[in-house]
Amino acid sequence: MAETATTSTAVSWTQHGAWADIAQAGQLGAAGPAGVTAILQGGFGLATLIATPGGAPALSGLVESRTGITLPATPTIVSGASHDAIWSGPEQWLLRAATHDGFAELLEALSVQAAVSEQSDARAAVRLSGPQIRDALAKGVMLDLHPAAFAVGDTALTSIAHIGVHLWRLTDEPDGSVFEIMVARSMVGSFWSWFAASAAEFGCQVSIDRSTGRG
Amino acid sequence: MRYSIFSLLSQTLQGHKGWTPAWRDPAPKPEYDVIIIGGGGHGLATAHYLASRHGISNVAVLEKGYLGSGNVGRNTTIIRSNYLLPGNTPFYELSMKLWEGLEQDLNYNAMVSQRGVLNLYHSDAQRDAFARRGNAMRLAGVDAELLGTEQVRPMLPYLDFDNARFPIQGGLLQRRGGSARHDAVAWGFARAADSRGVDMIQNCEVTGITMAGGRAIGVETSRGPIRAKKIAMAVAGNSSRVAAMAGMRLPIETHVLQAFVSEGLKPLIEGVVTFGAGHFYISQSDKGGLVFGGDIDGYNSYAQRGNLPVIEDVMESAMALWPGLGRVRMLRHWGGVMDMSMDGSPIIDTTPVEGLYLNAGWCYGGFKATPASGFCFAHLIATGQPHPVATAYRLDRFATGRVIDEKGAGAQPNLH
Amino acid sequence: MRITCPHCGARDAQEFSYLGAADPKRPEGMAASEAAMATYVYQRDNPAGVHRELWYHGAGCHAWLVVSRDTRTHAITAVEPAKARKAGATA
Amino acid sequence: MSAQPFRLASGGLIDRGHQLDFSFDGKSYGGYAGDTLASALLANGVRLVGRSFKYHRPRGFLSAGPEEPNALVELRSGARREPNTRATVVELFAGLDAASQNRWPSLAFDLLSINRLVSPALVAGFYYKTFMWPASFWEKLYEPLIRRAAGLGRAAGAEDPDQYEKAFAFCDLLVIGGGPAGLAAALAAGRSGARVILCDEDFRLGGRLLAEKREIGGKPASEWLAATLAELESLPEVRIVPRTTVFGLYDHGIYGAVERVADHLPEPPAHQPRQRGWRIHAKRAILAAGALERPIVFAGNDRPGVMLAGAVRAYVNRHGVLPGRESVLFTAGDDGWTTARDIAAAGGKIAAIVDSRPADPARKALADKLGARLFAGGAVMGARGGRQLSGVTIRDASGVVTELSCDLLAVSNGWNPTLHLTSHQNGKPAWDETLQCFVPGSLPADLAVAGSAAGRFTLAQALEDGARLGRQAATEAGLAATASEPAPTTDPETTGLSPVWRVSGGKGKAFVDYQNDVTDKDVELAAREGFRPVEHLKRYTTLGMATDQGKTSNLSGLAIMAEQTAKTIPQTGTTTFRPPYTPVAIGALAGHHRGKEFRPVRLAPTHDWSKEQGAVFVESGPWLRAQYYPRPGEADWLTTVNREVKAVRASVGICDVSTLGKIDIQGADAAEFLERVYINGWKALPVGKARYGLMLREDGFVMDDGTTSRLGDSHFLMTTTTANAGKVMQHLEFCHQVLWPELDVRMVSVSEQWAQVAIAGPKARETLRGVVDPEYVLSNEALPYLAARSVTVGGGIQARLFRISFSGELAYELAVPADYGDAMMRALMQAGASFGITPYGTEALGVMRIEKGHVAGNELNGQTTARDLGLGRMMSSKKDFVGRLMAGRQALVEQERPALVGFRPVEPGQRLRAGAHFIGTGQQAVMENDEGYMTSVAYSPHLKHWMGLGLIKGGAARIGERVRAYDPVRNGDVVVEICSPVFVDPEGARLHG
């Protein structure tokens, strides 16, 4: 058979995001005003950057020149207009872009100063808020998330219910603190099972961030 | 005095006033033929077999606390000989045979109870690994049966067969496995050894090993120096500390293992059941308490206590195996210090120091080994030769590569 | 137990996995002897007291740490990254 | 509904407007909100609630709290049945259903009470001395009888229908106990802004204040309590958690606690757990758990109606229940007199007060005022009665014996500090000669003890300790302390005490440990037989081993042993306590993790697609993988797997391999690093090529294998087995950070980023052609065996293509970003539709790898060497690598080590099984003749017979020889022929096609 017999255009290469078939929009648990709000994230670009030995300042400078943000030296997240740099180990970061546009080129440019590994599809992310979000998270997070102990911009690699997570605190919104959690894609089902059980007593409003057309 | 239903009835008529101490409380003599350091199960058993099988009774057992204060009194009382490797199986089977005759040998009811040990498996690969072990047991003359779920279900109807994360597919059963009353084992050996003239010396801590010409000739203790022709160490989790007194380093780390008991319940479970998809094993004592445990905490410790992560891990496994345990209450938990060897198997051997003998590395399997450990250690001390079923338990096996690694976990004690 | 990771801060010991003694040094290179390697792999001080030991922050930053901990009380007196220690030693 | 004949007309912290109906042993009763099951039963005149463990003696209520040894019931029914539940701490709810336990057929007529007839023989340790003859009778006869008789309540066994959860909390100060000391501590610290958590096991805050008529600041204590609670409520950083028992203290300031979220309700409300297990991280803690009252050992001291004096006060003052019509007080100190006063104040009759201390005019005057006969210097020698107390025998100071009728005997012998948590870190309590009790000994640096728990028994001391230690904790947490206020004044109290450990001379059994039926005679026997160290005493007599953990018995036992051995109590031993403080439900510590949620499950990015295809999934470590894809009409799994294998070998199949570990390794020294972790060479591997690698543990045995590709000069992609992905990552980090930090090597797992699929079979290339964008040439020349390339698929989607094969066929692995995994499978199915493309699962994968003699998990079992697996020649002799030296040890290189070969049944129809051992033909099946074992087997549809891989002594040198595959545990004994481990296409023609 000739190599050209079939072409890939015959099938539409639809993306099947990490949250597909895991969680749906709507209220879960107790009815009434939701104590917890969850917004499932998708559509972002994500990559691991590891600096060459002693090369962290240079890498940070390069990242800054391209994105306007520097790389944090401590477990924090630095957010810019379109990118976040999230500490993920000594001299190691996750660089997140709001969209995939130009992301591959950015990574290509950074690879002169860093080991770059694309992780865009490797994590599921969820943004969490609401008056009782800390009570819900306390059922699995082994960290002190009190506002004084875990400030805006703090990040932590830890585990919840035997599942490795990366979590951080974003800028407060009018109704309180906002957290974001990233979890390995393969375990998002078990993560959600834990989260749904933990948030149920407070009522949880779940929505999907479709701003980027994915989710 | 001899124990029997007749002595019990006769004492009952006398208001139990005529019972005598189970063992004497002698002061240490200046010199013995053999000193056994450690009045736990293995040390006491060694004393009993030295006296009863080898006629060596000028023996002192030196115990820093009270008799049986080590792991023999803080384990989950399981006895079994379901081992895989040829270095182990005959040894544990000898132990099982000694358990089977222990009450008559000691004139003491240690409540040896062969209600079965069932290791559950949860995958085809695990089934095949268990078949390999079961077949090895059969080759060594040990009883073993491989059961499917259809046989396990009626035996243990409460287990989670239908909604489990790791479904139960069957189990490897050793019907002759079971349990024994742990304290009674120590007391029975102590009483039997005492009756043959062995001195059991409590509150006597060894603080040094006296050397002369490269040879161990005695010990320093909290009750003064004592000389001996042969000095035998049976100190489990403290093996490295005592060996260091003779300038030795051992292939051993000391770890904490926790154990748990529930409130007393009417009979729920007959034998011993182990969960193959986590670290968990459970049985029920004659008093009704569920006795259970799991993995070691996983770090070096002499503290005799553990921490919540392992406690929670054990409880999670308990619920995963048997969701009806949710409302059963854990009454007490405690920790014992384990002499974890680098390949997970024990050492019964002479040492580079002449006159000094080593019995160590029992990991968390020391209780079931108690009779054979004492039997083989006594044989080694008396004859200078390893007992035929304990020839693999050499100290030099780590250098030669003749390791006995049942789990294939490598040189990392907390994985065994 | 809580271990204060020099990178991440105080965390439950559950986030870490334990390897063992930190002080034995691997005999490196083709000239190393089998006996020396066997000692490195198998022989341990196993002290009842302060123990320098390796822990891996597997659920956190993936750093290997050298923790000084008293095996009698579990009290931790120092935690340092293994990488820094080695770098310091060879510098 | 019956009236509540023992309920006082007024008073108590109960809501008389809120009646709650409940039942006990099938009979209905009424109580009030605020009652415990115990107080409600006592209000109804029910005093017989249980039978004892060994002698089946009738038992009632001794206490009003967690120390209760006697009043254990089965609470609820069906799958919610909770045995051994202390009625004294069960909060009453409407519809509560409880039953007595350890009796048959009924509580009142318990047949096993005939044990009493033989009880003289059933002394401590009797079973060690008998049941030895004949040997077989122990397990066949005696033990089953003992087992049936032992145990108390019946567990449900069936699945617990309620949910549990865990939670983690952090605070500056944890206060354990919500009595006056704890509340004062929380207030003092809370006012400074400290983050405080206060846990109390009771459902109502106040501790002992609830049971007493006391004054604080010149006003009833209830006013202080209300004001304090209100202020605590107003402090945003103070959290009060009632119904929560702090059960254990663990390392580094971590406390275990259980919150009974819904135990006071018939069933947990929707979305609520029954209980919540807390792990509390506290910078400081204050133990303010109060004290437990001590009974006195005398004959008949277990009769229903003999109660602790403080418990009587609790029932009277808190619950409005006077649990007797005619009372006698037996006290060794001042505290007992309060009970007499409160009984009298409630309108009760005090027939007599027996005070063990010498005559004292003030006490005489008080007794007169209460209308009670006083026996100064006297003792209660015995208590009479069957199912309930009917009278007592009193010996006065001169030895004259008096018989009195009564239905309530309140016993007061001082209090033991509730210091249990101070023991949990190996702390030893210290004996206080003045107080005649054990007080906390050495404490962890971050724990302080306040009030009665420290042996400071007065209310004034409790308030003072709490305020001082609370302030101190706040200061130590770095907060500015508030001004120190003087502790509020209290009404006066005296604590004179001269404890009485036992009264001899009475008739009948005198109990030390009620629940385990340990008597004073048992302790004497233990002393006589040499079981004198306190641990021997406990273990020999079972003293303190019951569900109450000796809360009311340990000290009496020690005291009697001390008396027997002419020693003091501290010389005899100390009472130490192990966690938990009170028993903890297993469910609460497991939380969410049961059933399917026991451990997280990992799903491949193609999972939904496989599900759609009807796959059967199998647990593979943490993963669920597609095992096979049955089609309608297929008789069994083997039919399906045979079809899948045949389809691959004949045409093309696809199988998800996303679960393999993938580690991105970069850096100038990446190749050097691989040289050191793998046994084979890597420096010469060209960019764009893959190579099979094998790594050892440092002890020389095989750790893992996989294919590693060179994507760039300093960029490799390592694959690991599914099972070992995490372990290998940890190992590589170890090698880098600990062994060779000087190397420039940087690695990160990218396992989750890629969906990877194997496309195998003669039509694999043509299928792939339909998926990979046309500009990439896929010919054998352009993309030879072991090529590794970046390509695009679907019109520009970045992908990686590897020409590697586990099946021995022409095969590729294609990896795309995980979001496209689902689409990749659909595109491949469409591209291969005309070839009859077939999805296959792990079973078919396994068949084909065995047909090719590839090793996998069953062979990489941690006990095998590279040589054992026929891979010894891969070991480089030119470089050092992990495991090199240890792999050269004598025992690892011996010729007689079992080595990998293939096996086939001599009778082609016979089935092989992994785990069978090899025995030489004609040899006996004994251990000495054991030559090895079968590691993996499968049915080969290609060969049309079973085949196996295995390790056998002599290995390949024995090819052609026949041996027995001995499998007695499955009744198998098959003669097999040793053959090459490569069953299909040994020349590799298909691979390179």
Side-chain angles (χ1 to χ4, degrees), chain D residues 307-335:
Chain D
M307 295 175 75
L308 294 169
V312 173
R313 294 210 291 281
Y315 290 118
V316 170
N317 295 327
R318 178 173 175 180
H319 300 293
V321 175
L322 179 53
R325 303 282 185 222
E326 182 124 23
S327 308
V328 170
L329 170 71
F330 179 18
T331 186
D334 298 343
D335 189 65

Side-chain angles (χ1 to χ4, degrees), chain D residues 501-575:
Chain D
W501 302 116
R502 87 160 146 170
V503 182
S504 304
K507 255 179 71 180
K509 290 193 188 305
F511 288 89
V512 181
D513 183 321
Y514 293 89
Q515 198 181 128
N516 269 353
D517 277 346
V518 179
T519 66
D520 60 342
K521 297 277 181 275
D522 291 323
V523 178
E524 290 177 6
L525 178 64
R528 198 171 301 136
E529 297 196 273
F531 293 92
R532 295 176 173 199
V534 61
E535 282 291 329
H536 278 171
L537 168 65
K538 286 170 71 171
R539 290 157 186 266
Y540 193 62
T541 64
T542 75
L543 174 81
M545 310 291 262
T547 65
D548 59 335
Q549 283 218 56
K551 291 188 176 67
T552 55
S553 63
N554 279 346
L555 187 55
S556 314
L558 264 183
I560 296 171
M561 180 57 83
E563 176 195 300
Q564 290 296 305
T565 53
K567 287 181 175 173
T568 64
I569 288 175
Q571 282 168 344
T572 303
T574 49
T575 56

Side-chain angles (χ1 to χ4, degrees), chain B residues 76-155:
Chain B
T76 45
T77 79
I78 297 167
I79 61 171
R80 60 184 172 88
S81 56
N82 54 359
Y83 280 76
L84 167 69
L85 299 175
N88 278 325
T89 323
F91 171 84
Y92 286 99
E93 180 57 14
L94 170 67
S95 210
M96 184 60 80
K97 293 214 164 77
L98 291 168
W99 282 118
E100 286 168 338
L102 196 70
E103 276 126 21
Q104 285 69 35
D105 187 18
L106 300 182
N107 179 228
Y108 206 84
N109 184 2
M111 301 186 180
V112 173
S113 173
Q114 295 174 292
R115 298 191 309 277
V117 171
L118 178 67
N119 301 145
L120 297 173
Y121 60 81
H122 307 260
S123 70
D124 289 354
Q126 200 172 23
R127 177 202 60 214
D128 292 343
F130 282 16
R132 177 189 169 201
R133 179 152 56 95
N135 287 329
M137 290 162 65
R138 295 283 284 266
L139 286 170
V142 181
D143 69 305
E145 294 164 56
L146 193 70
L147 310 182
T149 22
E150 69 288 353
Q151 290 152 293
V152 173
R153 207 184 255 266
M155 291 168 68

Side-chain angles (χ1 to χ4, degrees), chain A residues 1-6, chain D residues 763 765-767 769-770 830-835:
Chain A
M1 186 171 285
E3 284 205 346
T4 50
T6 317
Chain D
K763 300 292 183 192
R765 186 181 292 123
E766 286 153 278
T767 302
R769 185 64 279 166
Q830 185 165 339
S834 54
F835 313 122

